[in-house]
Amino acid sequence: MKFFVDTADVDAIRELNELGMADGVTTNPSLIMKSGRDIREVTKEICDIVDGPVSAETVATDADGMVAEGRELATIADNIAIKVPLTWAGLKACRTLAGEGRMVNVTLCFSANQAILAAKAGAAFISPFIGRLDDINLDGMQLIADIRTIYDNFNFKTNILAASIRSANHMSEAALIGADVATAPPDVIKKMASHPLTDKGLDAFLADWEKTGQKIV
Ligand code: G3P
């Protein structure tokens, strides 16, 4: 499973990229707002850091507007994936932009039917939002599993990009289901390294080592 980093924080992206843990980046209008930076400037900086796809989101609500914005965002760098919302207009824009050979990430997906339409429209990525479904007492991870089954049934090539990931458990669950990509905030990716038994075991080893009085270097 590929890891995308769901942030516009360039320092965090740089750190994860150096560890080989940033196969791409996803941003959205809220993350750009949080960064406090100009969308073109920050997106260009991110594209210079990572080799993989960097999603930049359109904000128009009509298809022509999304296409115009998508083309403009694509001028920032070759690795831009244009993000459009899963509306009827977004699907039209996806079809046009994908037809021009551009990577399109169809976002704000909350149902298997929406995911089918995105694949038919030529999306490179579909972004089902796990956490936001869980927030309303639905099962976000079940949606990932349903889309995996459907895409496999029909050999759809669209990559399943599990999004709105809120916990380290979401990452392993998405991997078990076979999501192609999971995008998560940097702190969630770092939390994947934590285990209380690791901390406990390390404390015991260090305490015993201290008693030997030895040094390795
Ligand atoms: O990848 C989409 C993500 O940014 C949304 O996450 O936590 O705002 O639902 P969240």
Side-chain angles (χ1 to χ4, degrees), residues 112 115-116 141-156 160 177-180:
I116 293 169
M141 207 50 75
Q142 185 58 48
L143 175 59
I144 302 293
D146 291 347
I147 298 172
R148 180 75 281 157
T149 301
I150 292 167
Y151 279 13
D152 288 349
N153 282 349
F154 300 101
N155 204 18
F156 286 143
I160 301 173
I177 290 167
D180 300 288

Side-chain angles (χ1 to χ4, degrees), residues 1-208:
M1 185 174 72
K2 289 188 173 164
F3 279 21
F4 287 2
V5 193
D6 199 28
T7 187
D9 176 342
V10 289
D11 292 334
I13 292 166
R14 203 170 277 117
E15 182 189 5
L16 288 166
N17 189 56
E18 280 166 12
L19 291 170
M21 292 175 192
D23 299 307
V25 170
T26 49
T27 66
N28 61 38
S30 303
L31 293 171
I32 297 295
M33 186 268 294
K34 202 170 153 193
S35 77
R37 299 186 56 188
D38 173 78
I39 184 171
R40 286 179 188 77
E41 183 197 279
V42 71
T43 306
K44 171 80 178 110
E45 198 173 333
I46 294 168
C47 289
D48 287 344
I49 297 169
V50 300
D51 293 331
V54 174
S55 289
E57 189 158 342
T58 59
V59 289
T61 53
D62 64 302
D64 288 345
M66 287 179 210
V67 169
E69 289 179 356
R71 288 174 181 152
E72 172 63 27
L73 290 169
T75 65
I76 294 173
D78 289 343
N79 53 337
I80 287 286
I82 302 157
K83 229 172 168 187
V84 299
L86 213 156
T87 57
W88 197 247
L91 292 167
K92 284 185 185 171
C94 174
R95 184 75 179 163
T96 301
L97 291 165
E100 294 171 356
R102 305 179 196 278
M103 270 187 293
V104 182
N105 176 357
V106 181
T107 188
L108 290 166
C109 170
F110 294 97
S111 77
N113 278 333
Q114 290 181 315
I116 293 169
L117 292 178
K120 301 292 278 183
F125 299 100
I126 181 68
S127 291
F129 276 30
I130 297 170
R132 293 191 193 186
L133 282 168
D134 291 351
D135 286 345
I136 59 163
N137 294 324
L138 293 174
D139 187 345
M141 207 50 75
Q142 185 58 48
L143 175 59
I144 302 293
D146 291 347
I147 298 172
R148 180 75 281 157
T149 301
I150 292 167
Y151 279 13
D152 288 349
N153 282 349
F154 300 101
N155 204 18
F156 286 143
K157 298 295 180 210
T158 301
N159 288 285
I160 301 173
L161 198 175
S164 185
I165 282 191
R166 306 271 178 79
S167 70
N169 278 352
H170 277 158
M171 294 295 275
S172 45
E173 287 168 22
L176 275 170
I177 290 167
D180 300 288
V181 191
T183 189
D187 62 311
V188 170
I189 294 175
K190 286 186 178 174
K191 274 187 194 142
M192 292 170 75
S194 301
H195 198 290
L197 291 180
T198 303
D199 297 339
K200 192 176 167 198
L202 183 58
D203 286 348
F205 285 155
L206 293 179
D208 287 343

